[in-house]
């Protein structure tokens, strides 16, 4: 049975990438140095192993919902990101990325994207590992699944808040 939203349109399930679907642990060292090596950090994303819990949730969500991806990765990473999603068998879906020059924290960017998506559509699920993003999305009125299946990274959290890079 397929879930139907407004006027027979499928509701949306939104997934973050880093720390939700992909394991960024192997590339954290690029953020732990000063200055941070953002080019190397993003270039290494193609080698991220998938996080089984996130992948399973995305696959099962695709049975009922349109799957959409919202990431803080910069737009210049689009080709590699789409290739990674396909390589790991994730559902096809629209991909929203940060403009290359946008340095706002993800907790500001992602709710803004969700409000755009919600015009005429129902968002039933937002899945992210960033607690500050999850808090902001809940305050904006969207249902949240907190992805707590990857090891948290203090360096990544600091980078997200201070430099608005992921």
């Amino acid at each position: 049975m397929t879930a139907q939203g407004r006027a027979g349109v499928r509701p949306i399930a939104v997934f973050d990438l880093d720390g939700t679907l992909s394991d960024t642990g192997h590339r954290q060292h690029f953020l732990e140095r000063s200055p941070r090596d953002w080019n190397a950090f993003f270039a290494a994303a193609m080698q991220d192993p998938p996080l089984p819990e996130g992948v399973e949730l995305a696959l099962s969500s695709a049975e009922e919902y349109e799957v959409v991806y919202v990431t803080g990765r910069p737009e210049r990473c689009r080709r590699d990101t789409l290739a990674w999603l396909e390589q790991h068998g994730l559902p096809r879906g629209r991909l929203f990325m940060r403009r290359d020059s946008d340095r706002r924290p993800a907790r500001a960017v992602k709710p803004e994207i969700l409000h755009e998506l919600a015009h005429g559509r129902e968002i039933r699920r937002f899945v992210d590992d960033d607690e500050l993003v999850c808090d902001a999305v809940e305050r904006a009125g969207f249902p949240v699944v907190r992805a707590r299946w990857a090891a948290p990274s203090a360096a990544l959290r600091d980078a997200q808040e201070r430099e608005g890079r992921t």
Side-chain angles (χ1 to χ4, degrees), residues 17-18 27 38-43 45 70-82 95-104 109-110 156 163-166:
L17 294 175
D18 296 333
R27 54 187 169 115
W38 288 104
N39 289 332
F41 178 77
F42 289 121
V70 175
T71 181
R73 291 180 187 182
E75 183 64 40
R76 70 179 182 274
C77 299
R78 179 172 291 277
R79 186 179 326 159
D80 284 351
T81 300
L82 289 170
L95 171 62
F96 291 82
M97 304 184 82
R98 178 190 301 274
R99 290 184 320 275
D100 288 335
S101 61
D102 189 345
R103 296 290 187 263
R104 293 174 296 152
V109 175
K110 289 182 179 182
L156 182 58
E163 298 178 38
R165 296 287 186 121
T166 68

Side-chain angles (χ1 to χ4, degrees), residues 55-113:
V55 170
E56 177 56 38
L57 186 56
L59 292 171
S60 64
S61 293
E63 295 172 12
E64 295 184 61
Y65 311 122
E66 174 189 347
V67 172
V68 173
Y69 303 99
V70 175
T71 181
R73 291 180 187 182
E75 183 64 40
R76 70 179 182 274
C77 299
R78 179 172 291 277
R79 186 179 326 159
D80 284 351
T81 300
L82 289 170
W84 187 92
L85 290 166
E86 185 174 335
Q87 174 186 350
H88 294 288
L90 282 137
R92 288 184 182 248
R94 292 180 286 165
L95 171 62
F96 291 82
M97 304 184 82
R98 178 190 301 274
R99 290 184 320 275
D100 288 335
S101 61
D102 189 345
R103 296 290 187 263
R104 293 174 296 152
R107 64 183 157 79
V109 175
K110 289 182 179 182
E112 185 178 285
I113 293 169

Side-chain angles (χ1 to χ4, degrees), residues 15 19-22 51-55 57 127-129 145-152:
F15 286 83
T20 300
L21 297 175
S22 70
L51 290 166
E53 297 91 337
V55 170
L57 186 56
V127 186
D128 201 299
D129 67 311
V145 174
R146 293 173 188 263
R148 293 181 172 143
W149 40 79

Side-chain angles (χ1 to χ4, degrees), residues 131-146:
E131 293 293 332
L132 294 175
V133 169
C134 290
D135 291 345
V137 167
E138 281 180 338
R139 281 192 303 274
F142 298 103
V144 170
V145 174
R146 293 173 188 263

